[in-house]
Amino acid sequence: MTSVEERVDAPETGEDHRRWSSLYPELGKGPIDTERFISEERLDEERKLIFSKSWLNLGSVHDLQGNNSFFVRDVALLGVSLLVVQDKAGKIQVFHNVCSHRGNKLVWEADGPCPYQFACRFHGWGYKADGTLASVPDEEEFFFEGDLPNKSTLGLVPVRTEVWNGFIFVNMDKDGTETLLEHLGPLGESLQDFPFDTLELRYRYDVPDDANWKVILDAQNEIYHLPMLAPLHRFLGGGAFSTNEDGYTRLYDFERLGIHTVYTSDSDAEWVDTPLRTAMANLHPEYNVVKLPNRGPFVFHVQFPNMVIGFLGNFMFTYNIWPVSVGHSVWEIRMHYPKAKTLADRVCQDLMKVRFRDLLCEDVTGHAALQIGLTSKARPEIVLGEQEVQIRSFHKNVDDYIARSTNV
Amino acid sequence: MSNTVEQTFALPSGFEGLAKFRAWGLPTEGERIARRLETPMPEVQEYYDGMMAELPKIMAYLLERPATNTTAEDENLLFLMFSLHEIAQAVEIYGCGEVVDGADVRLFTSVLNRPGGEVA
């Protein structure tokens, strides 16, 4: 992305105060309604008009164990179980994880190497990695003649699948025509050449979270709360992220990338980390070496609708925030690092993990408290400031997407 | 063969002195979190101080060790370091094992448990 100062539409240099609302006047300055976080009807709209229409990220090649392996992803909101298969040649295809015989959920394991055939536990119908129906026990008793139906039509049902930079996406709209690259738009362009393949996945957390999926995303999609929320937040709010002279965090940059967004933060030069981390920075010669081509210490992309690709120092985190019901979600968190060369590198990976994990553990309590307050309907609207422009933009993107899908 | 505790918790040569912390040499994140939550803070502080004092020597050693084909001795040293990370914020930020004003940190236990995932 281009830095805000280099953009032709940039506000005057030094015009930090309320610069984003002047750069993006279409986002407005007013409050937004709370109904969107607590209404069954709204979630129903999102299910039909967003999650059933949009490209959705299911994870990445790191969730597979290489060629000839699989993982299963159940998407509660859509009521589907999906089987993600990488065949022996490396091609990735997603299928409905459903046996064609009596409709049983086919694979019950979470992941693993592909078996000789994916065999249904009910009656043993077996499918090859390419989805074709390979074996039917006691086949002579079936009526695979003509179109009764013919056995060749009884393979696993494929789902539209595309892979971008190792990230695996599906689109449940079988009649849709938008490609993944069209969906990713300027976000995809800005990260197209990023060296994702140099990273390794080390940790994944599937955190049950008592909040609407957008409450969780919104709470992560700003740093205004850092100096206030909880002990580790307050510590990091003291300068790990850029602050002004009054101690309030300041975005370094924010950009709308089609229906996606990105914001960045720098850190204060004089900020001092904890004794352990300060010692480690002195003891590992590469601790502060920038290995990833990011434009700042903290970069946070929201990949519409429910994914985040973020960078903090030399590690990448991704979120997949899956709605389960109006007030409940699963927050999938993955942490990736440049591949460790030494055991000292492994130590640094773990150190970064614990810092980030405890920080997000503080956030979870905040999410639940937000949902309680919103659900009370004490107020019909929430108020957003200039340092929350990302949230304003996200909700406009959600509203616009629903409006477009409604009109199609 | 005698079967002393020291022999079941082998450490690389030169780090035998850390064997007194063997109870912190835990292979999984779940075990380390549990110990962080259940250990009285004076004992946590003692572990923190003991490991911090050895940090220059430990890191100098680990910088020379490749990330693959890890020996059992090196793995134990790694587990001691992971436990140091686990309790460092208890000492430096929270003043207790729990994530203060946060959720139950046991919710954050990595679900990966395979080569390439968490060392487990």
Side-chain angles (χ1 to χ4, degrees):
Chain A
M1 74 190 267
T2 6
S3 139
V4 68
E5 285 80 7
E6 296 165 10
R7 299 211 294 267
V8 289
D9 54 353
E12 292 295 310
T13 307
E15 189 194 333
D16 282 331
H17 193 53
R18 300 182 182 175
R19 70 199 310 201
W20 311 114
S21 53
S22 59
L23 192 56
Y24 296 104
E26 72 275 18
L27 296 178
K29 299 170 184 171
I32 65 171
D33 69 277
T34 55
E35 196 66 18
R36 64 182 59 232
F37 302 109
I38 58 175
S39 138
E40 295 282 352
E41 293 73 24
R42 177 56 187 250
L43 184 66
D44 215 39
E45 274 190 325
E46 291 168 352
R47 176 192 297 117
K48 288 179 192 151
L49 301 174
I50 298 177
F51 285 87
S52 299
K53 299 276 184 192
S54 176
W55 285 98
L56 301 173
N57 174 258
L58 294 184
S60 77
V61 290
H62 296 293
D63 295 294
L64 292 157
Q65 297 173 24
N67 290 358
N68 203 38
S69 68
F70 75 93
F71 69 83
V72 169
R73 182 75 73 249
D74 295 342
V75 183
L77 179 75
L78 301 177
V80 296
S81 178
L82 300 173
L83 175 62
V84 182
V85 182
Q86 183 163 26
D87 69 16
K88 285 178 181 166
K91 180 175 179 289
I92 294 172
Q93 177 66 50
V94 181
F95 302 95
H96 281 280
N97 183 26
V98 176
C99 179
S100 303
H101 172 215
R102 297 266 294 277
N104 195 29
K105 178 174 174 176
L106 180 66
V107 179
W108 296 1
E109 294 83 4
D111 56 23
C114 288
Y116 172 65
Q117 287 178 7
F118 292 107
C120 182
R121 295 192 183 215
F122 200 3
H123 302 93
W125 284 35
Y127 301 84
K128 290 198 263 187
D130 66 0
T132 52
L133 175 60
S135 68
V136 175
D138 205 7
E139 184 172 342
E140 298 301 308
E141 292 297 299
F142 282 87
F143 309 98
F144 297 138
E145 301 139 15
D147 58 355
L148 279 176
N150 193 286
K151 189 176 158 193
S152 66
T153 66
L154 292 175
L156 298 178
V157 177
V159 176
R160 287 171 65 204
T161 306
E162 287 198 46
V163 179
W164 173 84
N165 259 325
F167 292 105
I168 301 164
F169 288 79
V170 290
N171 191 314
M172 301 306 293
D173 182 3
K174 58 183 187 299
D175 302 320
T177 56
E178 185 188 47
T179 65
L180 176 60
L181 272 184
E182 287 167 349
H183 166 77
L184 293 174
L187 172 67
E189 287 165 26
S190 73
L191 288 174
Q192 186 55 45
D193 298 322
F194 192 88
F196 292 105
D197 59 345
T198 64
L199 303 176
E200 58 183 345
L201 172 66
R202 297 304 304 193
Y203 312 101
R204 171 178 156 191
Y205 302 93
D206 293 355
V207 181
D209 203 332
D210 292 328
N212 184 270
W213 68 283
K214 301 184 300 300
V215 166
I216 299 167
L217 185 56
D218 289 353
Q220 294 297 308
N221 201 12
E222 48 100 344
I223 48 175
Y224 175 40
H225 70 282
L226 263 178
M228 272 70 82
L229 184 72
L232 185 54
H233 276 74
R234 287 194 284 275
F235 177 73
L236 297 175
F241 296 76
S242 294
T243 53
N244 71 359
E245 57 193 20
D246 296 320
Y248 297 121
T249 56
R250 283 291 175 266
L251 300 179
Y252 179 72
D253 203 356
F254 165 74
E255 194 171 357
R256 300 189 78 192
L257 300 168
I259 58 173
H260 319 286
T261 56
V262 60
Y263 79 92
T264 69
S265 171
D266 214 331
S267 55
D268 292 344
E270 66 276 17
W271 188 68
V272 179
D273 209 329
T274 55
L276 171 60
R277 291 171 65 98
T278 301
M280 293 290 265
N282 291 326
L283 294 170
H284 194 310
E286 292 189 7
Y287 187 88
N288 284 321
V289 174
V290 176
K291 297 177 180 172
L292 300 177
N294 285 316
R295 49 185 312 280
F298 184 69
V299 186
F300 192 97
H301 304 85
V302 176
Q303 192 281 121
F304 187 90
N306 66 330
M307 184 194 190
V308 167
I309 301 174
F311 300 95
L312 182 57
N314 277 327
F315 95 90
M316 174 175 85
F317 57 94
T318 60
Y319 302 154
N320 297 81
I321 305 171
W322 293 106
V324 174
S325 61
V326 171
H328 188 76
S329 308
V330 174
W331 184 15
E332 276 180 23
I333 301 157
R334 290 177 178 78
M335 302 187 197
H336 311 69
Y337 305 82
K339 288 177 184 132
K341 295 192 290 289
T342 67
L343 292 182
D345 296 341
R346 281 286 294 118
V347 162
C348 287
Q349 291 177 345
D350 189 79
L351 183 67
M352 285 185 266
K353 177 259 292 189
V354 177
R355 158 64 57 85
F356 196 61
R357 190 201 66 195
D358 284 5
L359 186 72
L360 302 190
C361 185
E362 293 181 348
D363 281 307
V364 167
T365 306
H367 300 162
L370 280 161
Q371 192 66 30
I372 290 168
L374 293 165
T375 304
S376 78
K377 300 189 180 183
R379 285 210 176 259
E381 294 172 327
I382 60 170
V383 179
L384 296 169
E386 181 73 342
Q387 295 296 318
E388 297 165 310
V389 62
Q390 314 94 301
I391 298 172
R392 198 182 286 289
S393 180
F394 173 69
H395 286 281
K396 177 161 173 51
N397 292 339
V398 169
D399 293 348
D400 288 352
Y401 199 95
I402 288 176
R404 272 201 307 277
S405 296
T406 307
N407 293 331
V408 166
Chain B
M1 177 180 147
S2 66
N3 189 22
T4 63
V5 175
E6 283 75 9
Q7 277 174 329
T8 60
F9 190 74
L11 285 162
S13 175
F15 293 96
E16 293 82 359
L18 294 176
K20 63 185 173 195
F21 293 130
R22 70 182 71 84
W24 294 96
L26 299 167
T28 69
E29 184 174 34
E31 291 170 291
R32 294 191 290 272
I33 289 175
R35 186 164 173 85
R36 163 183 171 175
L37 292 174
E38 73 198 13
T39 307
M41 278 311 281
E43 193 182 330
V44 170
Q45 183 75 49
E46 190 185 332
Y47 182 61
Y48 176 87
D49 293 341
M51 289 294 286
M52 287 294 277
E54 295 296 318
L55 208 54
K57 192 174 153 194
I58 295 172
M59 287 304 287
Y61 175 79
L62 294 178
L63 277 164
E64 299 301 319
R65 306 297 290 170
T68 50
N69 301 321
T70 311
T71 65
E73 290 82 1
D74 285 356
E75 205 160 61
N76 283 336
L77 187 58
L78 269 190
F79 296 153
L80 289 180
M81 283 300 293
F82 294 169
S83 276
L84 172 66
H85 306 156
E86 189 60 60
I87 55 95
Q89 287 178 155
V91 171
E92 296 172 336
I93 303 288
Y94 296 115
C96 63
E98 290 81 15
V99 172
V100 174
D101 291 338
D104 184 342
V105 69
R106 288 172 295 189
L107 290 175
F108 285 79
T109 305
S110 179
V111 299
L112 298 184
N113 189 5
R114 62 166 197 252
E118 194 202 25
V119 175

